[in-house]
Amino acid sequence: NIDYLIKQLTQQPDLSNCQYVFDAIKELNPKTLPVPLLGFAGSPFTVACYLIQGGSDKVFSSVRELIDTDKQKLHIILDNLTHATILYLEKQIEEGVAGIQLFDTWASLLSLEEYEDISFPYIKKITHAISKHNIPVTLYLKNTARYIHLIKTLPLQVISIDFTYDIALARTTIGKNIALQGNLNPELLLTNKDTITTEVNNILTKTKHDPGFIFNLGHGILPPTPLDHVQLVVDLVKNA
């Protein structure tokens, strides 16, 4: 029920519900780790998709219906989620994370015009709020190429691109002042080692002289991925 969801979201966020996240950060003791510990949050629109639909989905038909019939209610949901997300991320920063990653996976459901109206303003609000803490902020969007000219205007240190976007073209579009992360297709990890080696080396060749490149997958890792295939990717990148 959308009205019930709005009623719940308009209450002051109770961060104690996420205390286990903050405890985990504290227990890891970021200052003693050999690598940076990154904080994480889903974007308001992506989180809204799960809340409105009641779980994960391929098309999020309930979200599409709300966009088409009552966008005002959607904006109320997004505004309240934005407020909660800023508080959540600031608490992670307080506990010692070295950077923040925002994931706007389901931006891919939106046209460019819809994204500019429905998701982008809230991402902008979050990134500007977090920027005062002087830690790197990374944004991932599925179908990155569609929205790249908008998101490169944000106060980001890293743009994480999906696997459909040619990495050399992405660098040309983004320019040299923002780091680039990506973008191996996670489905390739289900194939064979020769294919994986070829595709990893293809990305490494294109980014060989790019000091602002971070190797990563172009979407989430798939549950049946063999661990030895993951290890192969790690070894290839480290030995490049």
Side-chain angles (χ1 to χ4, degrees):
N1 182 287
I2 297 300
D3 291 329
Y4 177 75
L5 176 59
I6 289 173
K7 183 180 177 182
Q8 293 297 106
L9 288 173
T10 50
Q11 299 175 24
Q12 179 65 15
D14 183 2
L15 289 180
S16 67
N17 290 322
C18 302
Q19 189 58 46
Y20 65 95
V21 175
F22 312 133
D23 289 343
I25 295 169
K26 200 177 298 183
E27 189 172 337
L28 285 166
N29 196 356
K31 290 181 180 178
T32 67
L33 291 175
V35 294
L37 181 65
L38 300 181
F40 167 89
S43 76
F45 179 72
T46 289
V47 173
C49 283
Y50 294 121
L51 290 174
I52 294 165
Q53 194 67 35
S56 189
D57 197 72
K58 294 288 186 185
V59 294
F60 289 95
S61 56
S62 296
V63 180
R64 174 48 59 187
E65 182 180 355
L66 193 61
I67 291 171
D68 293 339
T69 61
D70 203 336
K71 202 182 288 184
Q72 183 179 358
K73 285 185 178 179
L74 177 59
H75 279 292
I76 293 171
I77 291 169
L78 293 170
D79 191 55
N80 283 282
L81 284 173
T82 298
H83 173 61
T85 303
I86 291 170
L87 294 177
Y88 177 56
L89 289 174
E90 289 186 328
K91 183 63 176 174
Q92 292 183 53
I93 294 167
E94 183 184 319
E95 295 297 347
V97 298
I100 293 295
Q101 290 202 74
L102 273 173
F103 284 72
D104 200 2
T105 303
W106 295 116
S108 58
L109 299 171
L110 303 171
S111 69
L112 179 59
E113 292 75 16
E114 286 173 333
Y115 180 76
E116 193 167 4
D117 172 44
I118 292 170
S119 186
F120 182 73
Y122 302 102
I123 294 283
K124 184 176 182 178
K125 190 173 181 179
I126 292 168
T127 54
H128 279 275
I130 298 303
S131 66
K132 67 184 180 185
H133 295 280
N134 296 315
I135 66 169
V137 178
T138 302
L139 175 64
Y140 170 83
L141 285 89
K142 197 175 177 184
N143 285 3
T144 325
R146 185 185 299 164
Y147 319 108
I148 195 65
H149 291 286
L150 274 177
I151 63 173
K152 73 176 186 176
T153 66
L154 295 171
L156 298 169
Q157 285 65 51
V158 186
I159 293 176
S160 187
I161 67 172
D162 78 322
F163 58 87
T164 65
Y165 198 1
D166 179 78
I167 204 151
L169 178 59
R171 170 52 77 204
T172 301
T173 306
I174 291 168
K176 296 180 178 179
N177 295 326
I178 301 176
L180 188 60
Q181 178 174 268
N183 68 333
L184 186 70
N185 186 341
E187 292 182 7
L188 290 170
L189 295 180
L190 301 177
T191 59
N192 58 74
K193 291 187 176 182
D194 287 342
T195 300
I196 294 168
T197 299
T198 298
E199 295 302 322
V200 169
N201 285 336
N202 182 39
I203 293 173
L204 293 174
T205 298
K206 289 181 178 181
T207 57
K208 186 175 182 178
H209 301 293
D210 188 342
F213 172 69
I214 304 166
F215 189 96
N216 207 334
L217 299 181
H219 200 218
I221 195 165
L222 299 167
T225 302
L227 289 180
D228 61 320
H229 287 186
V230 178
Q231 187 63 56
L232 172 63
V233 173
V234 171
D235 291 342
L236 287 167
V237 174
K238 281 190 169 184
N239 293 325

